[in-house]
Amino acid sequence: MMATMTDPGQCTTHEILLAVDAGSSSIRCTAYERVESKKQDDDCAGSDVLKNRSSLERTTTSNSLPSPIIRTLENVSHTIKMASVVPNTGYIRINEVLAAIDECIDQVLRLLRLQFLSQKYEVVAVGISTFVMNLIGVNEFGKPIGESATLSYACNREDVVRECQKLEDYLGNEGTRKIYQSTGAPIHPAYALPQLLAFYRNVGNANDVYRWQTISSICIHRWTGDGRIQLPISYSEASWTGMLNFRTCNWNEIMLKLLEVLSTKDYHAFFGEKGFLPLMPGLVDFDGEDIGKESNSSSRGCSTLLKSGIPQTRTDESSNPYWERWPELRSCRFFLGIGDGAAANLGSKCGSSSLTEPRIAITIGTSAAARVCLPLPASEQ
């Protein structure tokens, strides 16, 4: 009786995940490999797990299956050092940031091709983390208006500081407290409300902004070629704007009304009957699922879009340049961006804590921070 030996390298399709990080001082893309349990490796010749990308979905939705091991692929990473935001003004160098993200992915895919020259591999997912907050004004075609129509956490302009003072005077102590209890964020120049007020009061091309988006939502819009610019953003990114009601997972209604009545005298003519809400992106979880307490029409179809990878043609039937540029991403799963602080907690296994045993994640980067995740009791939601 003759035994047959199987080359594990020929048996296994390496499942690769790309992590893109858009930081304040650098842009980076890193490749990771999703490693199955030993039993699955041993049974790969007859297993459907490695032949079907649904294994990725099953391990993220079922508690009965073991968690996969994620390991960094050595030397399969690319970093571009750059100043993503302008000091003091906080304006985002958005076109340079987008170009740097694309170049980092270019280089990582090139390195993957070299590393797995004679082996099978598949990029199954692309995740994005960004500095937060960031909001970018785009036109009706989803293209950024320019640096003057960008908002970030790094803003410390005098006109925005004045807007903070005006807001505190207008709201009073009780109104300020209500907003803080809803959003978890104080009235501060680093958040969106005072920056948006300053923008609509002072910037000449404010009418050019069709909608506000984030770095990650713009990236996915560019890559997928989807003509809808109503691509939503994640609750994680939205929370960092200081305008998310985290109890309902919707935009804070008081703050939207403040934007309408305080930013321009003739706000009905400027924003229309629907007010400021249509200018804001829809809200979903980072996987595209809507868990808000109110219907969010602009987020419909997002989950399907994120699962579809890079299409050959855009929705206007023109060729999508990323189809040939990144063939490995034609069937991958995209995830909306999350805040870099949230990513740091999850990656360092500090994503869940209890009041009695908190786990603190310490991040040392352009700035330093210590963060802890705590559960929100159902009675307080």
Side-chain angles (χ1 to χ4, degrees):
M1 184 173 183
M2 182 180 294
T4 301
M5 299 295 292
T6 302
D7 180 359
Q10 297 297 321
C11 175
T12 301
T13 296
H14 298 271
E15 294 187 333
I16 309 301
L17 302 92
L18 300 187
V20 176
D21 178 43
S24 305
S25 55
S26 67
I27 308 296
R28 178 184 298 107
C29 180
T30 304
Y32 298 84
E33 182 177 8
R34 178 181 180 275
V35 182
E36 297 286 352
S37 68
K38 186 176 186 303
K39 182 179 185 305
Q40 288 171 330
D41 286 340
D42 292 342
D43 295 343
C44 66
S47 172
D48 289 331
V49 173
L50 295 177
K51 299 176 185 177
N52 191 327
R53 199 170 73 252
S54 65
S55 61
L56 177 70
E57 309 245 341
R58 291 204 298 273
T59 52
T60 58
T61 58
S62 173
N63 293 327
S64 62
L65 292 172
S67 298
I69 299 172
I70 306 298
R71 70 178 184 91
T72 305
L73 289 175
E74 189 174 353
N75 298 323
V76 187
S77 179
H78 189 77
T79 301
I80 296 176
K81 298 287 186 182
M82 64 177 296
S84 301
V85 296
V86 180
N88 297 323
T89 66
Y91 291 138
I92 302 169
R93 296 185 170 100
I94 184 59
N95 291 323
E96 290 88 342
V97 169
L98 296 176
I101 290 173
D102 283 4
E103 183 179 345
C104 285
I105 295 176
D106 281 338
Q107 295 303 318
V108 167
L109 291 179
R110 180 184 65 83
L111 293 170
L112 279 173
R113 292 163 194 155
L114 292 174
Q115 176 140 338
F116 294 104
L117 196 60
S118 59
Q119 300 179 60
K120 296 179 181 180
Y121 72 96
E122 179 184 11
V123 177
V124 296
V126 177
I128 307 172
S129 68
T130 62
F131 60 82
V132 281
M133 71 131 194
N134 71 85
L135 283 176
I136 298 98
V138 299
N139 63 18
E140 60 182 323
F141 303 106
K143 296 182 178 179
I145 299 297
E147 287 187 13
S148 64
T150 62
L151 319 176
S152 82
Y153 77 95
C155 176
N156 196 29
R157 301 196 315 269
E158 289 186 8
D159 59 332
V160 177
V161 172
R162 287 195 296 270
E163 293 296 343
C164 290
Q165 296 169 345
K166 292 177 184 177
L167 280 168
E168 290 175 342
D169 292 341
Y170 183 87
L171 291 167
N173 291 335
E174 182 62 19
T176 302
R177 186 190 68 81
K178 284 184 178 180
I179 285 179
Y180 185 81
Q181 289 297 317
S182 168
T183 65
I187 302 297
H188 191 279
Y191 295 113
L193 179 59
Q195 292 187 51
L196 285 169
L197 286 171
F199 176 81
Y200 283 102
R201 285 186 200 271
N202 305 323
V203 178
N205 63 344
N207 280 342
D208 294 338
V209 175
Y210 186 80
R211 185 163 284 110
W212 293 94
Q213 298 277 265
T214 62
I215 292 171
S216 65
S217 62
I218 292 174
C219 283
I220 296 173
H221 169 259
R222 281 156 48 94
W223 301 337
T224 60
D226 195 288
R228 303 171 302 171
I229 66 160
Q230 296 90 348
L231 198 67
I233 67 174
S234 71
Y235 299 122
S236 172
E237 287 188 316
S239 68
W240 270 95
T241 66
M243 293 181 60
L244 177 75
N245 183 338
F246 65 83
R247 301 175 192 279
T248 63
C249 290
N250 289 285
W251 295 115
N252 181 281
E253 294 181 359
I254 295 175
M255 302 179 92
L256 293 176
K257 180 57 70 174
L258 287 172
L259 280 167
E260 295 169 14
V261 301
L262 297 182
S263 60
T264 176
K265 292 180 180 179
D266 192 7
Y267 67 90
H268 282 299
F270 193 89
F271 297 121
E273 292 299 321
K274 294 183 179 180
F276 196 83
L277 181 60
L279 292 171
M280 298 297 284
L283 301 172
V284 294
D285 209 352
F286 76 105
D287 61 357
E289 298 297 332
D290 184 2
I291 61 172
K293 293 187 177 180
E294 299 176 9
S295 176
N296 193 336
S297 59
S298 64
S299 66
R300 292 171 188 163
C302 177
S303 179
T304 301
L305 172 67
L306 294 175
K307 294 176 181 177
S308 302
I310 290 178
Q312 187 172 4
T313 57
R314 301 180 183 276
T315 50
D316 62 3
E317 298 186 356
S318 63
S319 297
N320 183 355
Y322 291 99
W323 173 263
E324 295 295 340
R325 184 174 177 177
W326 299 338
E328 292 90 344
L329 306 191
R330 291 176 183 175
S331 59
C332 78
R333 172 73 153 87
F334 289 112
F335 290 92
L336 294 173
I338 63 173
D340 50 3
N345 275 68
L346 293 173
S348 58
K349 301 187 184 298
C350 295
S352 61
S353 296
S354 65
L355 293 174
T356 56
E357 297 181 354
R359 305 189 72 175
I360 301 173
I362 299 175
T363 305
I364 302 174
T366 307
S367 59
R371 301 180 179 91
V372 60
C373 296
L374 294 175
L376 179 66
S379 60
E380 296 182 18
Q381 293 183 9

